[in-house]
């Protein structure tokens, strides 16, 4: 169980922000679009698609505002764990503990920004389904939601654990802001489901818009029961658009 209640220090950005910029613009070549869509102040929930280990760090480095990203607690071990804690990220127990969400709400209530990958696990990044956690954060705090499309960390049939070589071109696109609110007389669960559906639709649509704008496709995902070798053959022979 995650038992931490102390809010991450706002001062963590003093060193983590330059590190994020270095990752995006020195180690990789990250093209950032839509920064003007991000409110200059007030609480913001950045909701991004999830294709790679790098999604969180890349979004962190590209954002015009510092954020605290919800990261699975299994990552908070050893040296990496110290880096994540020191940079103000929030450990999430994916078995259902709500400590991380409550911490996120407190940060949003303080006018800060939260980053979340609501698909939960790495996949194709098409945002076909998302968790309700992002909707709860937005509804309970009144924060603006910014859909974020991340393209490039995985391409074609690269494995979900793949780390791209330095200097690869990546794309981060911040979409138009959306707000979700409870409707008068609407049960809480209905509000949550509706808000999650609105956020999912906005994120999925923005990902497709980013694909069209950049020419960079999503990674391929093998069909259930399909072997990796067959998937690789299909990817190379049948979908050249995903190999920009």
């Amino acid at each position: 169980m995650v038992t931490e209640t102390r809010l991450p220090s706002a001062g963590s950005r003093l060193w983590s922000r330059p590190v994020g910029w270095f990752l995006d613009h020195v180690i990789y070549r990250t093209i950032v679009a839509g920064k003007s869509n991000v409110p200059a102040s007030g609480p913001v929930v950045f909701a991004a698609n999830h294709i790679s280990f790098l999604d969180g760090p890349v979004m962190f480095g590209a954002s015009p505002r510092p954020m605290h990203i919800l990261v699975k607690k299994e990552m908070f071990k050893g040296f990496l764990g110290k880096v994540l804690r020191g940079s103000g990220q929030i450990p999430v127990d994916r078995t259902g503990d709500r400590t991380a969400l409550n911490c996120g709400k407190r940060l949003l209530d303080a006018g800060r920004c939260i980053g979340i990958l609501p698909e939960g696990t790495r996949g194709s990044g098409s945002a076909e389904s998302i968790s309700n956690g992002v909707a709860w954060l937005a509804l309970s705090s009144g924060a603006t939601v910014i859909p974020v499309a991340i393209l490039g960390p995985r391409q074609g049939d690269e494995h979900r654990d793949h780390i791209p070589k330095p200097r690869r071109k990546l794309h981060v696109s911040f979409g138009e802001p959306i707000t979700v609110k409870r409707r008068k007389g609407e049960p809480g669960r209905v509000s949550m489901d509706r808000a999650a559906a609105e956020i999912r639709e906005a994120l999925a649509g923005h990902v497709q818009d980013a694909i069209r704008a950049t020419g960079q496709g999503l990674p391929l995902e093998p069909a259930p029961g399909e072997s990796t070798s067959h998937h690789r053959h299909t990817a190379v022979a049948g979908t050249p658009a995903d190999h920009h």
Side-chain angles (χ1 to χ4, degrees):
M1 296 285 286
V2 177
T3 58
E4 299 177 11
T5 58
R6 181 185 301 176
L7 292 182
S9 169
S12 61
R13 75 180 101 176
L14 295 178
W15 68 269
S16 59
R17 293 280 285 165
V19 171
W21 183 93
F22 185 87
L23 173 72
D24 276 353
H25 301 291
V26 177
I27 297 180
Y28 297 108
R29 297 182 297 147
T30 305
I31 299 173
V32 183
K35 283 187 177 183
S36 61
N37 287 326
V38 179
S41 62
V44 174
V45 175
F46 293 92
N49 63 326
H50 198 12
I51 60 177
S52 165
F53 277 126
L54 287 180
D55 296 336
V58 167
M59 175 172 64
F60 183 88
S63 173
R65 291 182 61 186
M67 69 178 76
H68 305 276
I69 300 177
L70 275 65
V71 181
K72 63 180 181 179
K73 71 172 187 178
E74 290 81 3
M75 302 294 289
F76 287 77
K77 296 178 181 179
F79 176 74
L80 177 59
K82 292 180 180 178
V83 171
L84 289 171
R85 292 179 192 280
S87 60
Q89 312 318 316
I90 305 169
V92 177
D93 185 337
R94 295 188 296 179
T95 62
D97 182 49
R98 295 180 62 84
T99 301
L101 287 177
N102 290 329
C103 179
K105 181 184 181 304
R106 290 167 60 199
L107 287 164
L108 292 168
D109 289 343
R112 298 200 222 171
C113 302
I114 292 295
I116 187 169
L117 306 168
E119 290 176 287
T121 58
R122 301 183 303 278
S124 71
S126 60
E128 293 181 0
S129 65
I130 66 172
S131 71
N132 277 7
V134 63
W136 184 85
L137 283 171
L139 285 173
S140 62
S141 67
T144 299
V145 178
I146 298 291
V148 185
I150 301 172
L151 302 172
R154 277 178 57 223
Q155 300 174 4
D157 64 345
E158 291 172 341
H159 192 273
R160 292 185 184 190
D161 295 339
H162 178 78
I163 301 296
K165 293 181 179 180
R167 306 308 296 159
R168 174 179 283 190
K169 183 183 291 185
L170 310 179
H171 297 273
V172 179
S173 176
F174 297 95
E176 295 184 3
I178 62 173
T179 57
V180 291
K181 297 181 179 180
R182 288 188 173 88
R183 294 172 180 171
K184 186 175 181 179
E186 186 176 60
R189 184 67 190 187
V190 174
S191 292
M192 192 91 65
D193 290 343
R194 177 180 53 77
E198 291 175 6
I199 294 170
R200 190 212 67 80
E201 183 178 359
L203 176 56
H206 181 59
V207 168
Q208 293 304 315
D209 288 343
I211 291 171
R212 287 188 288 270
T214 64
Q216 174 64 65
L218 293 169
L220 303 176
E221 291 292 308
E226 185 178 88
S227 70
T228 302
S229 59
H230 174 74
H231 171 57
R232 181 177 294 111
H233 173 76
T234 303
V236 172
T239 55
D242 284 326
H243 291 270
H244 291 286

